[in-house]
Coordinates of all heavy atoms in Angstrom, one line a residue:
M27 N 20.2 5.3 29.0 CA 19.9 4.6 27.7 C 18.8 5.4 27.0 O 17.7 5.7 27.5 CB 19.4 3.2 28.1 CG 19.1 2.4 26.9 SD 18.9 0.6 27.2 CE 18.2 0.5 28.9
E28 N 19.1 5.7 25.8 CA 18.2 6.5 25.0 C 17.5 5.7 24.0 O 18.1 4.9 23.2 CB 18.9 7.7 24.3 CG 18.0 8.6 23.6 CD 18.8 9.6 22.8 OE1 20.0 9.8 23.0 OE2 18.2 10.2 21.9
H29 N 16.2 5.8 23.9 CA 15.5 5.2 22.8 C 14.3 6.0 22.4 O 13.7 6.7 23.2 CB 15.0 3.7 23.2 CG 14.1 3.7 24.3 ND1 12.8 3.4 24.2 CD2 14.3 3.8 25.6 CE1 12.2 3.4 25.3 NE2 13.1 3.6 26.3
E30 N 14.0 6.0 21.1 CA 13.1 6.9 20.6 C 11.7 6.4 20.4 O 10.9 6.9 19.6 CB 13.6 7.5 19.3 CG 14.8 8.4 19.5 CD 15.0 9.4 18.3 OE1 15.4 9.0 17.3 OE2 14.6 10.5 18.5
R31 N 11.4 5.3 21.0 CA 10.1 4.7 20.9 C 9.0 5.7 21.5 O 9.3 6.3 22.5 CB 10.0 3.5 21.8 CG 10.2 2.1 21.2 CD 10.1 1.9 19.7 NE 9.0 1.0 19.4 CZ 8.9 0.4 18.2 NH1 9.8 0.6 17.3 NH2 7.9 -0.4 17.9
I32 N 7.9 5.8 20.8 CA 6.9 6.7 21.3 C 5.9 5.8 22.1 O 5.6 4.7 21.8 CB 6.1 7.3 20.1 CG1 7.1 8.2 19.3 CG2 4.9 8.1 20.6 CD1 6.5 8.6 18.0
Q33 N 5.6 6.3 23.3 CA 4.8 5.6 24.2 C 3.3 5.3 23.7 O 2.9 4.2 23.5 CB 4.6 6.3 25.5 CG 5.9 6.5 26.3 CD 6.5 5.1 26.7 OE1 5.7 4.2 27.1 NE2 7.8 5.0 26.7
E34 N 2.6 6.4 23.4 CA 1.3 6.2 23.0 C 1.2 6.0 21.4 O 2.1 6.5 20.8 CB 0.4 7.3 23.4 CG 0.8 8.6 22.9 CD 0.1 9.8 23.6 OE1 -1.1 9.8 23.4 OE2 0.7 10.6 24.2
Q35 N 0.2 5.4 21.0 CA 0.0 5.3 19.5 C -0.3 6.6 18.9 O -1.2 7.3 19.3 CB -1.1 4.3 19.3 CG -1.3 4.0 17.8 CD -0.1 3.2 17.2 OE1 0.9 3.7 16.9 NE2 -0.3 1.9 17.1
V36 N 0.5 7.0 17.9 CA 0.3 8.2 17.2 C 0.0 7.9 15.8 O 0.7 7.1 15.2 CB 1.6 9.1 17.3 CG1 1.4 10.4 16.5 CG2 1.9 9.5 18.8
F37 N -1.0 8.6 15.2 CA -1.3 8.4 13.8 C -1.1 9.7 13.1 O -1.4 10.8 13.6 CB -2.8 8.0 13.6 CG -3.1 6.6 14.2 CD1 -3.6 6.5 15.5 CD2 -2.9 5.5 13.5 CE1 -3.9 5.3 16.0 CE2 -3.2 4.2 14.0 CZ -3.7 4.1 15.3
C38 N -0.5 9.6 11.9 CA -0.3 10.8 11.1 C -1.6 11.4 10.8 O -2.6 10.7 10.4 CB 0.4 10.4 9.8 SG 0.5 11.8 8.7
Q39 N -1.7 12.7 11.1 CA -3.0 13.4 10.9 C -3.3 13.8 9.5 O -4.1 14.6 9.2 CB -3.0 14.6 11.8 CG -3.1 14.3 13.3 CD -4.3 13.5 13.7 OE1 -5.4 14.0 13.5 NE2 -4.2 12.3 14.2
S40 N -2.5 13.3 8.6 CA -2.7 13.5 7.1 C -3.1 12.2 6.4 O -4.0 12.1 5.7 CB -1.5 14.1 6.5 OG -1.5 14.1 5.1
C41 N -2.2 11.1 6.7 CA -2.5 9.9 6.0 C -2.9 8.8 6.9 O -3.3 7.7 6.4 CB -1.2 9.5 5.3 SG 0.1 8.9 6.4
G42 N -2.9 9.0 8.2 CA -3.4 7.9 9.1 C -2.4 6.8 9.4 O -2.8 5.9 10.1
M43 N -1.2 7.0 8.9 CA -0.2 5.9 9.2 C 0.1 5.9 10.7 O 0.3 7.0 11.2 CB 1.0 6.2 8.4 CG 2.1 5.1 8.5 SD 3.6 5.5 7.6 CE 4.4 6.6 8.8
P44 N 0.2 4.7 11.3 CA 0.7 4.7 12.7 C 2.1 5.0 12.7 O 2.9 4.5 12.0 CB 0.4 3.2 13.1 CG 0.0 2.5 11.9 CD -0.2 3.4 10.7
I45 N 2.5 6.0 13.6 CA 3.9 6.4 13.7 C 4.4 5.7 15.0 O 4.1 6.1 16.1 CB 4.0 7.9 13.8 CG1 3.3 8.6 12.6 CG2 5.4 8.4 14.0 CD1 3.3 10.1 12.6
Q46 N 5.2 4.7 14.8 CA 5.7 3.9 15.9 C 7.1 4.3 16.3 O 7.6 3.8 17.4 CB 5.7 2.4 15.5 CG 4.2 1.9 15.6 CD 4.0 0.7 14.6 OE1 4.8 0.5 13.7 NE2 3.0 0.0 14.9
D47 N 7.7 5.2 15.6 CA 9.1 5.5 15.9 C 9.3 7.0 15.6 O 8.8 7.5 14.6 CB 10.0 4.7 15.1 CG 11.5 4.8 15.6 OD1 12.1 5.8 15.4 OD2 11.9 3.8 16.2
A48 N 10.0 7.7 16.5 CA 10.2 9.1 16.3 C 10.8 9.4 15.0 O 10.7 10.5 14.4 CB 11.0 9.7 17.4
S49 N 11.6 8.5 14.4 CA 12.3 8.8 13.2 C 11.3 8.9 12.0 O 11.6 9.4 10.9 CB 13.3 7.7 12.9 OG 12.6 6.4 12.7
L50 N 10.0 8.5 12.2 CA 9.0 8.6 11.2 C 8.3 9.9 11.2 O 7.4 10.1 10.3 CB 8.1 7.4 11.3 CG 8.6 6.0 11.0 CD1 7.6 4.9 11.3 CD2 9.1 5.9 9.5
L51 N 8.5 10.7 12.2 CA 7.8 11.9 12.4 C 8.3 12.9 11.3 O 9.5 13.0 11.0 CB 8.0 12.5 13.8 CG 7.3 11.8 14.9 CD1 7.8 12.4 16.2 CD2 5.8 12.0 14.8
G52 N 7.4 13.8 10.8 CA 7.7 14.9 10.0 C 8.5 15.9 10.7 O 8.6 15.9 12.0
T53 N 9.0 16.9 10.0 CA 9.7 18.0 10.7 C 9.1 19.4 10.5 O 8.5 19.6 9.4 CB 11.2 18.0 10.1 OG1 11.1 18.0 8.7 CG2 12.0 16.8 10.6
D54 N 9.3 20.2 11.5 CA 8.9 21.6 11.4 C 9.9 22.4 10.6 O 11.0 21.9 10.3 CB 8.6 22.1 12.8 CG 7.3 21.7 13.3 OD1 6.3 21.6 12.6 OD2 7.2 21.4 14.5
R55 N 9.6 23.7 10.4 CA 10.5 24.5 9.7 C 11.9 24.6 10.3 O 12.9 24.7 9.6 CB 9.9 25.9 9.6 CG 10.4 26.8 8.5 CD 9.6 28.1 8.5 NE 8.3 27.9 8.0 CZ 7.9 28.1 6.7 NH1 8.8 28.4 5.9 NH2 6.7 27.9 6.3
D56 N 11.9 24.6 11.6 CA 13.2 24.7 12.3 C 13.9 23.3 12.4 O 15.0 23.2 13.0 CB 13.1 25.3 13.6 CG 12.2 24.5 14.6 OD1 11.8 23.4 14.2 OD2 11.9 24.9 15.7
G57 N 13.4 22.3 11.8 CA 14.0 21.0 11.8 C 13.6 20.1 13.0 O 14.0 19.0 13.0
S58 N 12.8 20.6 13.9 CA 12.4 19.8 15.0 C 11.3 18.9 14.6 O 10.6 19.1 13.6 CB 12.0 20.7 16.2 OG 10.8 21.5 15.8
K59 N 11.1 17.8 15.4 CA 10.0 16.9 15.0 C 8.6 17.4 15.2 O 8.4 18.1 16.1 CB 10.2 15.6 15.9 CG 11.5 14.9 15.7 CD 11.5 14.2 14.3 CE 12.7 13.3 14.2 NZ 12.8 12.8 12.8
N60 N 7.8 17.2 14.2 CA 6.4 17.5 14.3 C 5.7 16.3 14.8 O 5.8 15.2 14.3 CB 5.9 17.9 12.9 CG 4.4 18.4 13.0 OD1 3.5 17.5 13.1 ND2 4.2 19.6 12.9
S61 N 4.8 16.5 15.8 CA 4.3 15.3 16.5 C 2.9 14.9 15.8 O 2.3 14.0 16.3 CB 4.0 15.6 18.0 OG 3.2 16.7 18.1
E62 N 2.5 15.5 14.8 CA 1.2 15.2 14.2 C 1.3 14.6 12.8 O 0.3 13.9 12.4 CB 0.4 16.5 14.1 CG 0.0 17.1 15.5 CD -0.9 18.3 15.3 OE1 -0.6 19.1 14.5 OE2 -1.9 18.3 16.1
Y63 N 2.4 14.8 12.1 CA 2.4 14.2 10.8 C 3.7 13.4 10.6 O 4.7 13.6 11.2 CB 2.4 15.4 9.8 CG 1.2 16.3 9.9 CD1 1.3 17.6 10.4 CD2 0.0 15.8 9.5 CE1 0.2 18.4 10.4 CE2 -1.2 16.6 9.5 CZ -1.1 17.9 10.0 OH -2.2 18.7 10.1
C64 N 3.5 12.5 9.6 CA 4.7 11.6 9.3 C 5.6 12.2 8.3 O 5.3 13.2 7.7 CB 4.2 10.2 8.8 SG 3.6 10.3 7.1
M65 N 6.8 11.6 8.2 CA 7.8 12.2 7.3 C 7.4 12.1 5.9 O 8.0 12.8 5.0 CB 9.1 11.4 7.5 CG 9.0 9.9 7.2 SD 10.6 9.0 7.5 CE 11.6 9.6 6.2
Y66 N 6.5 11.3 5.5 CA 6.1 11.1 4.1 C 5.1 12.3 3.7 O 4.9 12.5 2.6 CB 5.4 9.8 3.9 CG 6.3 8.6 4.3 CD1 6.0 7.8 5.4 CD2 7.5 8.4 3.5 CE1 6.8 6.8 5.7 CE2 8.3 7.3 3.9 CZ 8.0 6.6 5.0 OH 8.8 5.5 5.4
C67 N 4.4 12.8 4.7 CA 3.4 13.9 4.5 C 4.0 15.3 4.7 O 3.5 16.2 4.1 CB 2.2 13.7 5.3 SG 1.3 12.2 4.9
Y68 N 4.9 15.4 5.6 CA 5.2 16.7 6.2 C 6.7 16.8 6.4 O 7.4 16.0 7.0 CB 4.5 16.9 7.5 CG 4.3 18.3 8.0 CD1 3.4 19.1 7.4 CD2 5.1 18.8 9.1 CE1 3.2 20.4 7.9 CE2 4.9 20.0 9.6 CZ 3.9 20.9 9.0 OH 3.7 22.1 9.4
E69 N 7.3 17.9 5.8 CA 8.7 18.1 5.9 C 9.1 19.6 6.0 O 8.5 20.3 5.2 CB 9.4 17.4 4.7 CG 10.9 17.3 4.8 CD 11.5 16.6 3.7 OE1 11.2 16.9 2.5 OE2 12.4 15.7 3.9
T70 N 9.9 19.9 6.9 CA 10.3 21.3 7.1 C 9.1 22.3 7.1 O 9.2 23.3 6.4 CB 11.4 21.8 6.2 OG1 11.0 21.6 4.8 CG2 12.7 21.0 6.4
G71 N 8.1 21.9 7.8 CA 7.0 22.8 8.0 C 6.0 22.9 6.9 O 5.0 23.7 6.9
E72 N 6.1 22.0 5.9 CA 5.2 22.0 4.7 C 4.8 20.6 4.3 O 5.5 19.7 4.4 CB 5.9 22.7 3.5 CG 6.0 24.2 3.6 CD 6.8 24.8 2.5 OE1 6.9 24.1 1.4 OE2 7.4 25.9 2.7
F73 N 3.5 20.5 3.9 CA 3.1 19.3 3.3 C 3.8 18.9 2.1 O 4.1 19.8 1.2 CB 1.6 19.3 3.0 CG 0.7 19.2 4.3 CD1 -0.1 20.3 4.6 CD2 0.7 18.1 5.1 CE1 -0.9 20.2 5.7 CE2 -0.1 18.1 6.2 CZ -0.9 19.1 6.5
K74 N 4.2 17.7 1.9 CA 4.9 17.3 0.7 C 4.0 17.3 -0.5 O 4.5 17.4 -1.6 CB 5.5 15.9 0.9 CG 6.7 15.9 1.8 CD 7.4 14.6 1.8 CE 8.9 14.7 2.2 NZ 9.6 13.4 2.0
Q75 N 2.7 17.1 -0.3 CA 1.8 17.1 -1.4 C 0.7 18.1 -1.0 O -0.4 17.8 -0.6 CB 1.1 15.8 -1.6 CG 2.1 14.7 -2.1 CD 2.2 13.5 -1.2 OE1 2.0 13.6 0.0 NE2 2.5 12.4 -1.8
P76 N 1.0 19.4 -1.1 CA 0.1 20.4 -0.5 C -1.3 20.5 -1.3 O -2.2 20.9 -0.7 CB 0.9 21.7 -0.8 CG 1.9 21.4 -1.8 CD 2.2 20.0 -1.7
D77 N -1.3 20.0 -2.5 CA -2.5 20.1 -3.3 C -3.3 18.8 -3.3 O -4.3 18.7 -4.0 CB -2.2 20.5 -4.7 CG -1.5 21.9 -4.7 OD1 -1.9 22.8 -3.9 OD2 -0.6 22.1 -5.5
I78 N -2.9 17.8 -2.6 CA -3.6 16.5 -2.7 C -5.0 16.7 -2.0 O -5.2 17.4 -1.1 CB -2.8 15.4 -2.0 CG1 -3.2 14.0 -2.5 CG2 -2.8 15.5 -0.5 CD1 -2.3 12.9 -2.1
S79 N -5.9 16.0 -2.7 CA -7.3 16.0 -2.1 C -7.5 14.8 -1.2 O -6.7 13.9 -1.2 CB -8.3 15.9 -3.3 OG -8.2 14.7 -3.9
L80 N -8.6 14.8 -0.5 CA -8.9 13.6 0.3 C -9.0 12.4 -0.6 O -8.5 11.3 -0.2 CB -10.2 13.9 1.1 CG -10.7 12.7 2.0 CD1 -9.7 12.3 3.0 CD2 -12.0 13.2 2.7
Q81 N -9.6 12.5 -1.7 CA -9.7 11.4 -2.6 C -8.3 11.0 -3.1 O -8.0 9.8 -3.1 CB -10.5 11.8 -3.9 CG -10.8 10.6 -4.8 CD -11.5 9.5 -4.2 OE1 -12.5 9.7 -3.5 NE2 -10.9 8.3 -4.3
G82 N -7.4 11.9 -3.4 CA -6.1 11.6 -3.8 C -5.3 10.9 -2.7 O -4.6 9.9 -3.0
M83 N -5.5 11.3 -1.5 CA -4.8 10.7 -0.4 C -5.3 9.3 -0.2 O -4.6 8.3 0.1 CB -5.0 11.5 0.9 CG -4.3 11.0 2.1 SD -2.5 10.8 1.9 CE -2.0 12.5 2.3
T84 N -6.7 9.1 -0.4 CA -7.2 7.8 -0.3 C -6.6 6.8 -1.3 O -6.2 5.7 -1.0 CB -8.8 7.8 -0.5 OG1 -9.3 8.7 0.5 CG2 -9.4 6.5 -0.3
D85 N -6.5 7.3 -2.5 CA -5.9 6.5 -3.6 C -4.4 6.1 -3.2 O -4.0 5.0 -3.4 CB -5.9 7.2 -4.9 CG -7.3 7.4 -5.4 OD1 -8.2 6.6 -4.9 OD2 -7.6 8.2 -6.3
L86 N -3.7 7.1 -2.8 CA -2.3 6.9 -2.4 C -2.1 5.9 -1.3 O -1.4 4.9 -1.4 CB -1.7 8.3 -2.0 CG -0.2 8.3 -1.7 CD1 0.5 8.2 -3.1 CD2 0.2 9.7 -1.1
C87 N -2.9 6.1 -0.2 CA -2.8 5.1 0.9 C -3.3 3.7 0.5 O -2.7 2.7 1.0 CB -3.6 5.7 2.1 SG -3.0 7.2 2.8
T88 N -4.3 3.7 -0.3 CA -4.8 2.4 -0.7 C -3.7 1.6 -1.4 O -3.5 0.4 -1.1 CB -6.0 2.5 -1.7 OG1 -7.0 3.2 -1.1 CG2 -6.5 1.2 -2.2
G89 N -2.9 2.3 -2.2 CA -1.8 1.6 -2.9 C -0.8 1.0 -1.9 O -0.4 -0.2 -2.0
F90 N -0.5 1.8 -0.9 CA 0.5 1.2 0.1 C -0.1 0.1 0.9 O 0.6 -0.9 1.2 CB 0.8 2.4 1.1 CG 1.8 3.4 0.5 CD1 1.4 4.7 0.5 CD2 3.0 3.0 0.0 CE1 2.2 5.7 0.0 CE2 3.8 4.0 -0.6 CZ 3.4 5.3 -0.6
M91 N -1.4 0.2 1.2 CA -2.0 -0.9 2.1 C -2.2 -2.2 1.3 O -2.1 -3.3 1.8 CB -3.4 -0.4 2.6 CG -3.2 0.7 3.7 SD -4.6 1.7 4.0 CE -5.5 0.7 5.2
V92 N -2.4 -2.0 0.0 CA -2.5 -3.2 -0.9 C -1.1 -3.9 -1.0 O -1.0 -5.1 -0.9 CB -3.1 -2.8 -2.3 CG1 -2.9 -4.0 -3.3 CG2 -4.6 -2.5 -2.2
Q93 N -0.1 -3.0 -1.1 CA 1.3 -3.6 -1.1 C 1.5 -4.3 0.2 O 2.3 -5.3 0.2 CB 2.3 -2.5 -1.2 CG 2.6 -2.0 -2.6 CD 3.6 -0.9 -2.6 OE1 4.4 -0.7 -1.8 NE2 3.5 0.0 -3.6
D94 N 0.9 -3.9 1.2 CA 1.1 -4.5 2.6 C 0.3 -5.8 2.7 O 0.3 -6.4 3.8 CB 0.6 -3.5 3.6 CG 1.8 -3.0 4.5 OD1 2.9 -3.1 4.0 OD2 1.6 -2.6 5.6
G95 N -0.5 -6.1 1.7 CA -1.2 -7.4 1.8 C -2.7 -7.3 2.0 O -3.4 -8.3 2.1
M96 N -3.2 -6.0 2.1 CA -4.6 -5.8 2.3 C -5.4 -5.8 0.9 O -4.8 -5.5 -0.1 CB -4.8 -4.5 3.0 CG -6.1 -4.3 3.7 SD -6.2 -2.7 4.6 CE -5.3 -3.1 6.1
T97 N -6.6 -6.2 0.9 CA -7.4 -6.1 -0.3 C -7.8 -4.7 -0.5 O -7.9 -3.9 0.4 CB -8.7 -7.0 -0.3 OG1 -9.6 -6.4 0.6 CG2 -8.4 -8.4 0.0
E98 N -8.0 -4.3 -1.8 CA -8.3 -2.9 -2.1 C -9.6 -2.5 -1.4 O -9.7 -1.4 -0.9 CB -8.3 -2.7 -3.6 CG -8.6 -1.3 -3.9 CD -8.4 -0.9 -5.4 OE1 -7.7 -1.7 -6.1 OE2 -8.9 0.1 -5.8
D99 N -10.6 -3.4 -1.5 CA -11.9 -3.0 -0.9 C -11.7 -2.7 0.6 O -12.3 -1.7 1.1 CB -12.8 -4.2 -1.0 CG -13.4 -4.2 -2.4 OD1 -13.2 -3.3 -3.2 OD2 -14.2 -5.2 -2.7
T100 N -11.0 -3.6 1.3 CA -10.8 -3.4 2.8 C -10.1 -2.1 3.0 O -10.4 -1.3 3.9 CB -10.0 -4.5 3.4 OG1 -10.6 -5.8 3.0 CG2 -10.0 -4.5 4.9
A101 N -9.0 -1.8 2.2 CA -8.2 -0.6 2.4 C -9.1 0.6 2.2 O -9.1 1.5 3.1 CB -7.1 -0.6 1.4
R102 N -9.9 0.6 1.2 CA -10.7 1.8 0.9 C -11.7 2.0 2.0 O -12.1 3.2 2.3 CB -11.4 1.7 -0.5 CG -10.4 1.9 -1.6 CD -11.1 2.1 -2.9 NE -10.1 2.2 -4.0 CZ -9.5 3.4 -4.3 NH1 -9.9 4.5 -3.6 NH2 -8.6 3.5 -5.2
Q103 N -12.3 0.9 2.5 CA -13.3 1.0 3.5 C -12.7 1.6 4.8 O -13.3 2.5 5.4 CB -13.8 -0.4 3.8 CG -15.2 -0.4 4.3 CD -15.7 -1.8 4.4 OE1 -15.1 -2.8 4.0 NE2 -16.9 -2.0 4.9
L104 N -11.5 1.1 5.2 CA -10.8 1.6 6.3 C -10.5 3.1 6.2 O -10.7 3.9 7.1 CB -9.5 0.9 6.5 CG -9.5 -0.3 7.4 CD1 -8.1 -1.0 7.3 CD2 -9.8 0.0 8.9
L105 N -10.0 3.5 5.0 CA -9.6 4.9 4.8 C -10.8 5.8 4.8 O -10.7 6.9 5.3 CB -8.8 5.0 3.5 CG -7.4 4.3 3.5 CD1 -6.9 4.0 2.1 CD2 -6.5 5.1 4.4
A106 N -11.9 5.3 4.2 CA -13.1 6.1 4.2 C -13.6 6.5 5.6 O -14.2 7.5 5.8 CB -14.2 5.4 3.4
E107 N -13.3 5.6 6.5 CA -13.7 5.9 7.9 C -12.6 6.7 8.6 O -13.0 7.6 9.5 CB -13.8 4.5 8.7 CG -15.0 3.7 8.3 CD -15.0 2.4 9.1 OE1 -14.3 2.2 10.0 OE2 -15.8 1.5 8.6
Q108 N -11.4 6.4 8.3 CA -10.3 7.0 9.1 C -9.9 8.4 8.7 O -9.8 9.3 9.5 CB -9.1 6.1 9.0 CG -8.0 6.4 9.9 CD -6.8 5.4 9.8 OE1 -6.5 4.9 8.8 NE2 -6.2 5.2 10.9
L109 N -9.7 8.6 7.4 CA -9.1 9.8 6.9 C -9.9 11.1 7.2 O -9.4 12.1 7.6 CB -8.8 9.7 5.4 CG -7.7 8.8 4.9 CD1 -7.4 8.9 3.4 CD2 -6.4 9.1 5.7
P110 N -11.3 11.0 7.0 CA -12.0 12.3 7.3 C -11.9 12.7 8.7 O -12.3 13.9 9.0 CB -13.5 11.9 6.9 CG -13.3 10.7 6.0 CD -12.1 10.0 6.5
R111 N -11.5 11.9 9.6 CA -11.4 12.3 11.1 C -10.1 12.9 11.4 O -9.9 13.5 12.4 CB -11.5 11.0 12.0 CG -12.9 10.4 11.9 CD -13.0 9.5 13.1 NE -14.1 8.5 12.8 CZ -13.9 7.2 13.0 NH1 -12.8 6.7 13.5 NH2 -14.9 6.4 12.7
L112 N -9.2 12.8 10.5 CA -7.8 13.3 10.8 C -7.8 14.9 10.6 O -8.6 15.4 9.9 CB -6.8 12.7 9.8 CG -6.7 11.2 9.9 CD1 -5.8 10.7 8.8 CD2 -6.2 10.8 11.2
K113 N -6.9 15.4 11.4 CA -6.9 16.9 11.5 C -6.8 17.6 10.1 O -7.5 18.6 9.9 CB -5.6 17.3 12.3 CG -5.6 18.7 12.7 CD -4.4 19.0 13.6 CE -4.1 20.5 13.7 NZ -2.9 20.7 14.5
R114 N -6.0 17.0 9.2 CA -5.8 17.7 7.9 C -7.1 17.8 7.1 O -7.4 18.7 6.4 CB -4.7 17.0 7.1 CG -4.5 17.7 5.8 CD -3.3 17.0 5.1 NE -3.0 17.8 3.8 CZ -2.1 17.4 2.9 NH1 -1.4 16.3 3.1 NH2 -2.0 18.1 1.8
W115 N -7.9 16.7 7.3 CA -9.1 16.6 6.4 C -10.4 17.1 7.2 O -11.4 17.6 6.5 CB -9.3 15.2 6.0 CG -8.1 14.7 5.4 CD1 -7.2 13.7 5.9 CD2 -7.4 15.2 4.1 NE1 -6.1 13.6 5.0 CE2 -6.2 14.4 4.0 CE3 -7.8 16.1 3.2 CZ2 -5.4 14.6 2.9 CZ3 -6.9 16.3 2.1 CH2 -5.8 15.6 2.0
S116 N -10.4 17.0 8.5 CA -11.6 17.4 9.2 C -11.9 18.9 9.1 O -13.0 19.3 9.0 CB -11.6 17.0 10.7 OG -10.5 17.6 11.3
A117 N -10.8 19.6 8.9 CA -10.9 21.1 8.8 C -11.6 21.4 7.5 O -12.3 22.5 7.4 CB -9.5 21.7 8.8
L118 N -11.5 20.6 6.5 CA -12.0 20.8 5.2 C -13.5 20.7 5.2 O -14.2 21.2 4.3 CB -11.5 19.9 4.1 CG -10.0 20.0 3.8 CD1 -9.6 19.0 2.8 CD2 -9.7 21.4 3.3
Q119 N -14.0 20.0 6.2 CA -15.5 19.7 6.2 C -16.3 20.7 7.0 O -17.5 20.5 7.2 CB -15.7 18.3 6.8 CG -15.1 17.2 5.8 CD -15.0 15.9 6.5 OE1 -15.3 15.7 7.6 NE2 -14.6 14.9 5.7
S120 N -15.6 21.7 7.5 CA -16.4 22.8 8.2 C -17.3 23.5 7.2 O -17.0 23.5 6.0 CB -15.4 23.7 8.8 OG -14.5 24.2 7.9
P121 N -18.3 24.1 7.6 CA -19.3 24.8 6.7 C -18.6 25.8 5.9 O -17.6 26.4 6.4 CB -20.3 25.4 7.7 CG -20.1 24.7 9.0 CD -18.7 24.2 9.0
E122 N -19.0 26.1 4.7 CA -18.3 27.0 3.8 C -18.2 28.4 4.5 O -19.1 28.8 5.1 CB -19.0 27.0 2.5 CG -20.4 27.5 2.6 CD -21.1 27.4 1.2 OE1 -21.4 26.2 0.8 OE2 -21.3 28.4 0.6
A123 N -17.1 29.0 4.3 CA -16.8 30.3 4.9 C -17.5 31.4 4.1 O -17.6 31.3 2.9 CB -15.3 30.5 5.0
Ligands
LIG19 ZN1 1.4 10.9 6.8

């Protein structure tokens, strides 16, 4: 019996979305599943929005979370805590090269 449920909770390292099913995972260049990013952020080895800023991502995610029934204030507060810890954004906060 095959099922694609993921055992541990995985969060997209770009947008923070919980990835509860392997079908939501993004794909690498060779078409295999990427285990760090969701399909909305990452496809065939590239970010779908390569130039988006942390602020831009916050705005984008806020929109989805508000659609989901969250207030904008709560959504922004959550994202302000969550997004900077994700792999895609934490790298940006390293000291200037
Ligand atoms: Zn994502």
Side-chain angles (χ1 to χ4, degrees):
M27 183 165 32
E28 187 186 342
H29 61 109
E30 290 204 286
R31 264 343 242 195
I32 297 170
Q33 295 296 323
E34 60 191 299
Q35 183 69 281
V36 175
F37 294 94
C38 172
Q39 293 297 302
S40 167
C41 69
M43 182 182 85
I45 301 175
Q46 282 153 342
D47 192 288
S49 64
L50 293 173
L51 289 171
T53 49
D54 282 321
R55 199 175 289 269
D56 62 5
S58 63
K59 295 289 184 188
N60 181 286
S61 58
E62 293 184 316
Y63 300 111
C64 76
M65 62 181 288
Y66 304 110
C67 292
Y68 201 73
E69 191 174 47
T70 55
E72 286 172 23
F73 285 117
K74 288 188 152 188
Q75 295 121 331
D77 298 322
I78 198 169
S79 64
L80 178 56
Q81 185 59 52
M83 184 59 83
T84 303
D85 292 343
L86 188 70
C87 294
T88 299
F90 288 124
M91 289 162 87
V92 168
Q93 273 178 31
D94 247 23
M96 202 177 276
T97 67
E98 181 167 342
D99 280 354
T100 308
R102 286 192 180 278
Q103 209 171 354
L104 269 174
L105 291 164
E107 287 175 16
Q108 190 178 33
L109 290 186
R111 293 195 204 135
L112 300 174
K113 188 175 167 186
R114 183 172 182 186
W115 310 110
S116 60
L118 295 178
Q119 291 167 358
S120 52
E122 61 188 71

